Amino acid sequence: MLNMRSILAMFHRILTGMSHSNEKDGFELSKTRRTLPMALLRAREAVMERFRPLLQAHGVTEQQWRVLRVLKEAEETDASDLAEAASILAPSLSRILKTLEARAFIEARKDPTDGRRALIRLTPEGHAFIRQIAPESAAIYAELEARVGRVRIDSLLDDLEALMTALEQI
Amino acid sequence: MLNMRSILAMFHRILTGMSHSNEKDGFELSKTRRTLPMALLRAREAVMERFRPLLQAHGVTEQQWRVLRVLKEAEETDASDLAEAASILAPSLSRILKTLEARAFIEARKDPTDGRRALIRLTPEGHAFIRQIAPESAAIYAELEARVGRVRIDSLLDDLEALMTALEQI
DNA sequence: TCCATTAAATTAACATGTTAATCAAATGAT
DNA sequence: ATCATTTGATTAACATGTTAATTTAATGGA
């Protein structure tokens, strides 16, 4: 990693420093790294990195796992609520549900009181699959919590909640 | 929105409550909403919602815009550094660079000292494009900052930074 | 009751995320 | 100098993100 080339590149960066030759006019962009979108993206990336090996080992994507978890908490829901709860757009959810149904982890039926709505629930196989992964997933989260500190995580979760409340338009 | 059906659904949720019939064994999954991955995802979504109309109006995706911004701060970089700085995986970056090059916003050349490396920089057109969007983008961020509070945002950014530091494995 | 409108879900089309495989160039040890 | 190894970048293949269009069912007013 520390070959001659990267050392020279480091020198270059240090020497050129902040000479970005940007004119200020009062509405400048912030440094990209120090913005909410980038910081949230990178933080999430750092967290998910720890879960990916587990999910991949069991052949589910992050999104599929989210759908399964939400369904476990919800017993039976329609697709709209499911999409909202899992933060997945409707078109993506349509495809994901097909995949999960093909694996027999979920089953769907029409809402008898509203023919447009699809009601989704876990099958016993789906429940079993979650039971199989949940302990490892929880262990990873516990290790992460130990490393970061529960207090810090809780305060971070509260701040994120506050951010979203502040951004709620309507 | 508040039709009879959704009111009945609300009653159902209230009545069924937390009766999820899950056995506790010490390694339970957290409530999906109250986890770092979900909270970070939702928060980012809430923030990006405000920028999407602007980006769409100018025909760039969120990722393309990130690349342009990083390039503006960096003068000239190789693809690896660019990918890292914009939090975009190498394969995605390859495709994005093609798109941006087709629009003449960037130009690429081989690193003369290392034939594998691609050096990327903005063209004058790319600079002009950024100048065109930057004020509106900064204005949106300023409005967001006013709504959330600069202090809260700064503390959030610091916490996110701390989270990533705590998660740095190596 | 009829029909225009609204709503839930899917499909379409294109961009990106993700991992694996490939290719070309540089590196390092012999 | 040679060759196996490593590295930077691209391509491949499939899943999801994103917006628009479409389909089907429900709703609401004449």
Side-chain angles (χ1 to χ4, degrees):
Chain A
M1 282 293 105
L2 261 190
N3 56 18
M4 185 53 72
R5 203 196 161 282
S6 62
I7 291 175
L8 286 177
M10 285 169 61
F11 267 108
H12 175 72
R13 278 180 220 121
I14 292 169
L15 292 175
T16 55
M18 301 284 92
S19 64
H20 288 148
S21 70
N22 298 331
E23 314 298 324
K24 307 257 173 200
D25 67 355
F27 271 110
E28 285 304 306
L29 297 174
S30 311
K31 275 209 79 163
T32 305
R33 268 192 89 103
R34 185 79 183 175
T35 61
L36 280 178
M38 277 298 294
L40 292 168
L41 177 61
R42 299 177 81 93
R44 184 164 198 284
E45 200 43 45
V47 172
M48 286 313 301
E49 209 176 339
R50 316 216 142 212
F51 289 97
R52 290 224 177 82
L54 170 64
L55 298 179
Q56 194 178 2
H58 290 86
V60 283
T61 67
E62 181 193 327
Q63 292 85 347
Q64 290 166 6
W65 178 239
R66 284 214 304 276
V67 168
L68 293 176
R69 287 190 55 166
V70 169
L71 282 176
K72 187 199 172 205
E73 291 174 3
E75 197 68 28
E76 184 174 60
T77 40
D78 61 277
S80 297
D81 287 351
L82 182 51
E84 213 290 314
S87 273
I88 291 175
L89 294 176
S92 298
L93 184 61
S94 282
R95 295 173 298 210
I96 291 171
L97 292 180
K98 257 184 227 167
T99 305
L100 294 177
E101 202 166 10
R103 270 180 94 170
F105 287 168
I106 66 164
E107 56 189 13
R109 63 183 182 115
K110 275 191 164 188
D111 185 329
T113 74
D114 185 341
R116 296 167 302 180
R117 252 171 239 273
L119 297 179
I120 323 285
R121 61 162 56 220
L122 287 176
T123 61
E125 290 87 349
H127 277 290
F129 182 75
I130 293 180
R131 267 197 305 276
Q132 183 187 355
I133 298 186
E136 289 182 72
S137 173
I140 292 173
Y141 202 83
E143 204 273 341
L144 182 155
E145 214 170 51
R147 201 181 276 264
V148 179
R150 180 186 283 268
V151 175
R152 196 199 293 267
I153 290 182
D154 271 335
S155 117
L156 189 50
L157 289 174
D158 289 340
D159 286 349
L160 291 172
E161 194 79 36
L163 170 69
M164 291 184 54
T165 304
L167 289 183
E168 225 132 65
Q169 49 275 37
I170 303 173
Chain B
M1 280 296 103
L2 261 190
N3 56 19
M4 186 51 73
R5 198 194 166 285
S6 62
I7 291 175
L8 287 176
M10 285 170 59
F11 267 109
H12 175 72
R13 278 181 220 119
I14 291 169
L15 292 175
T16 55
M18 301 286 91
S19 64
H20 289 149
S21 69
N22 299 329
E23 314 298 326
K24 306 258 175 199
D25 65 357
F27 272 109
E28 285 303 308
L29 296 174
S30 312
K31 276 209 80 165
T32 306
R33 267 191 90 101
R34 185 80 182 172
T35 61
L36 280 178
M38 276 299 295
L40 292 168
L41 178 61
R42 298 177 83 93
R44 184 164 198 283
E45 200 43 45
V47 172
M48 285 313 301
E49 209 176 339
R50 316 216 141 211
F51 289 96
R52 290 222 177 82
L54 170 63
L55 298 179
Q56 195 178 1
H58 289 86
V60 283
T61 66
E62 181 192 328
Q63 292 85 347
Q64 292 166 5
W65 179 239
R66 284 214 304 276
V67 168
L68 293 176
R69 287 191 55 166
V70 168
L71 282 176
K72 188 199 172 204
E73 291 174 3
E75 197 68 26
E76 185 174 59
T77 39
D78 62 276
S80 297
D81 287 351
L82 182 52
E84 213 291 314
S87 274
I88 291 175
L89 294 176
S92 297
L93 184 60
S94 282
R95 294 173 298 211
I96 291 171
L97 292 181
K98 257 184 227 166
T99 306
L100 293 178
E101 203 167 9
R103 270 180 95 170
F105 287 167
I106 66 164
E107 56 190 11
R109 63 181 181 115
K110 274 191 163 186
D111 186 329
T113 75
D114 185 340
R116 295 167 303 181
R117 251 171 240 274
L119 297 179
I120 322 287
R121 62 161 55 219
L122 287 176
T123 61
E125 291 86 349
H127 277 289
F129 182 75
I130 293 179
R131 267 197 305 277
Q132 185 187 355
I133 299 186
E136 289 181 72
S137 172
I140 292 172
Y141 202 83
E143 204 272 342
L144 183 155
E145 213 169 52
R147 201 180 277 264
V148 179
R150 178 186 283 269
V151 175
R152 197 200 291 267
I153 290 182
D154 270 335
S155 115
L156 189 49
L157 290 173
D158 290 339
D159 286 349
L160 292 172
E161 194 78 34
L163 171 68
M164 291 184 54
T165 303
L167 289 184
E168 224 131 66
Q169 51 274 37
I170 303 176

